[in-house]
Amino acid sequence: MRIQRIEVSLVQGKVETPYVTAINPEGTTEVPCIILRMQTDTGLWGIAESNPYPGFTVESPQSVMQVIRHLLGPAVLGMDPCNIIALHSRMDAVVSGNPFAKAPIDIAAHDLMGQHLGVPIFRLLGGSVRDHIPMIWPIGGGAPTANARQATAKISEGYRSLHVKVGALHPDVDVARVQAIRKAVGAGIPIMIDANQGWDRSTAIQTIRRLQAFEPSMVEQPVPAWDIEGMAKVQAAVNVPISADEVLDSGHRAVELIRRDAARVFSIKTGKMGGLMRSRQIAAIAEAAGVPCFVNSMLELGVSVATSLHLAATLPNLVDHGHALMSNLRMKEDILVRNSFQYDEKNILIPEDCKGLGVQIDEEILDRRTLDRFVLKI
Ligand SMILES: [Mg+2]
């Protein structure tokens, strides 16, 4: 089996409610996503999505399009998609880094291999250790009273954990927001905090110590991604696990974070880590060090959610609360055909008998939302 055609589309996603983070305090509404499709000489089509987000990532949707078009795509055309380690070696030989450009090729290759063998991707990764995963609901910016109302509404819808973005506003306001949310939902609902690199070391330590009164389950990326030493100092100074997100983009970083005890949770995103193979490796490094993983998301559509779902199914070392497998639900419109996922309350179910990724794109929606597109072929 050989890869003979690669189609890449830049697709405009829209978030239902502007999403406020320390990276974009104005709130994000338009989210360009990359959809990649790869056809083999046997007629199979593999699909994948990638979600670079400038500010969070070094890469951008435009850079990912260019890197695939001129470097990665030509390098992997003609290769067997089942030789995933060889695919990565070839990709690494033509360009270093660029995980959000490499990820969709890795993911589409896994989809093709799963279809070729007639098994779900999670079986290719070692098999499932669970049949469902609870979803967490994210809360962006807003005032304490609005946040409390939103939290109460989401808990009454059935969500059992919350992900609160901080770091865009003054720490006093963020502390008041978390206090209001905790008061509204009561004890027993895990609340994770995500500062998206919004604090320096001193602000992080002072603010997390104040937040401890409201029992956060973890605090993600309190300081800039470059400041691993600062993360270690923050972790040593507080009684809450620190989660590594923006900083954690490779196995090398995973080892460094563990060696320095700079993070006690790893935030896993298949795009950030260059695809399923690398994400599985990083999760295994975490498991070997006794570090649990949080399955996280970018602002992404259903193909990425399905990818993370297959990965999450296989990880024994997951954080014991909800995971970010709800990103398509916060978008105005997904590009998958309706009912692509099965839910039980606010748990997303692991698909039992699909082949490969097991999701199908709605061609009309893809066409309507496509901003730019190119095709490579042998
Ligand atoms: Mg994060």
Side-chain angles (χ1 to χ4, degrees):
M1 192 162 65
R2 299 274 173 255
I3 300 166
Q4 66 171 22
R5 182 182 175 95
I6 298 173
E7 295 184 6
V8 185
S9 304
L10 182 64
V11 173
Q12 186 66 291
K14 279 210 162 106
V15 190
E16 188 86 54
T17 312
Y19 194 56
V20 175
T21 64
I23 287 167
N24 186 1
E26 303 298 310
T28 301
T29 49
E30 313 263 294
V31 188
C33 305
I34 309 287
I35 298 292
L36 178 143
R37 299 201 276 189
M38 209 150 76
Q39 189 187 30
T40 65
D41 56 358
T42 59
L44 294 177
W45 281 96
I47 62 173
E49 179 182 339
S50 184
N51 311 91
Y53 182 60
F56 183 100
T57 58
V58 174
E59 296 162 273
S60 66
Q62 293 74 20
S63 81
V64 166
M65 294 283 280
Q66 293 301 312
V67 168
I68 295 174
R69 183 172 199 158
H70 297 291
L71 297 167
L72 300 177
V76 303
L77 276 174
M79 291 186 77
D80 182 345
C82 295
N83 288 338
I84 289 179
I85 296 172
L87 276 180
H88 277 278
S89 297
R90 181 74 66 87
M91 291 196 288
D92 291 345
V94 296
V95 62
S96 63
N98 286 276
F100 281 89
K102 291 172 181 172
I105 290 172
D106 163 288
I107 294 162
H110 277 88
D111 186 22
L112 287 168
M113 178 159 47
Q115 291 180 50
H116 179 65
L117 299 174
V119 298
I121 284 179
F122 65 75
R123 286 211 198 289
L124 304 176
L125 301 175
S128 175
V129 293
R130 55 182 59 79
D131 58 13
H132 70 276
I133 297 174
M135 295 185 292
I136 199 166
W137 188 261
I139 294 178
T145 45
N147 286 168
R149 252 199 323 273
Q150 193 184 358
T152 308
K154 288 298 166 186
I155 297 303
S156 63
E157 279 178 33
Y159 289 94
R160 285 288 163 267
S161 51
L162 298 167
H163 180 162
V164 180
K165 292 287 187 182
V166 299
L169 304 166
H170 191 280
D172 289 349
V173 181
D174 280 337
V175 171
R177 293 173 59 228
V178 176
Q179 180 176 20
I181 292 168
R182 172 57 76 207
K183 190 167 173 226
V185 302
I189 297 290
I191 299 173
M192 70 162 280
I193 309 290
D194 189 354
N196 284 113
Q197 319 180 59
W199 296 325
D200 59 25
R201 297 179 186 188
S202 301
T203 309
I205 291 169
Q206 288 161 10
T207 310
I208 295 169
R209 284 179 174 165
R210 294 169 69 192
L211 289 170
Q212 282 175 186
F214 314 113
E215 301 190 337
S217 62
M218 58 174 147
V219 177
E220 190 158 279
Q221 202 62 56
V223 294
W226 56 263
D227 193 9
I228 294 179
E229 189 178 339
M231 272 182 81
K233 287 190 185 308
V234 173
Q235 180 64 87
V238 301
N239 290 322
V240 181
I242 298 300
S243 170
D245 188 4
E246 284 90 323
V247 61
L248 179 60
D249 61 358
S250 68
H252 313 296
R253 278 279 186 274
V255 171
E256 189 179 2
L257 289 163
I258 288 164
R259 193 170 52 77
R260 296 202 195 190
D261 192 16
R264 294 180 189 165
V265 177
F266 277 6
S267 187
I268 306 282
K269 296 173 178 171
T270 55
K272 179 181 74 165
M273 290 156 176
L276 285 161
M277 189 186 90
R278 299 277 186 231
S279 297
R280 193 69 191 73
Q281 287 172 344
I282 289 169
I285 292 168
E287 186 189 355
V291 170
C293 293
F294 173 63
V295 177
N296 207 334
S297 77
M298 304 295 289
L299 288 167
E300 62 197 28
L301 300 164
V303 184
S304 282
V305 174
T307 307
S308 296
L309 181 60
H310 280 273
L311 175 71
T314 72
L315 303 182
N317 54 327
L318 288 188
V319 167
D320 187 23
H321 62 50
H323 294 264
L325 294 162
M326 73 307 119
S327 190
N328 55 323
L329 303 176
R330 62 184 167 181
M331 309 298 270
K332 281 200 164 146
E333 183 177 54
D334 198 0
I335 53 156
L336 295 181
V337 297
R338 279 179 183 277
N339 301 320
S340 286
F341 298 100
Q342 302 296 314
Y343 301 97
D344 174 17
E345 304 284 321
K346 296 304 177 188
N347 298 303
I348 185 165
L349 307 187
I350 312 295
E352 276 174 16
D353 54 2
C354 67
K355 292 175 182 159
L357 206 50
V359 291
Q360 197 187 335
I361 287 174
D362 183 315
E363 299 295 335
E364 184 275 320
I365 300 174
L366 179 70
D367 275 355
R368 178 160 43 79
R369 292 202 164 272
T370 293
L371 303 169
D372 191 12
R373 181 173 177 271
F374 67 84
V375 176
L376 301 170
K377 55 190 174 187
I378 292 178

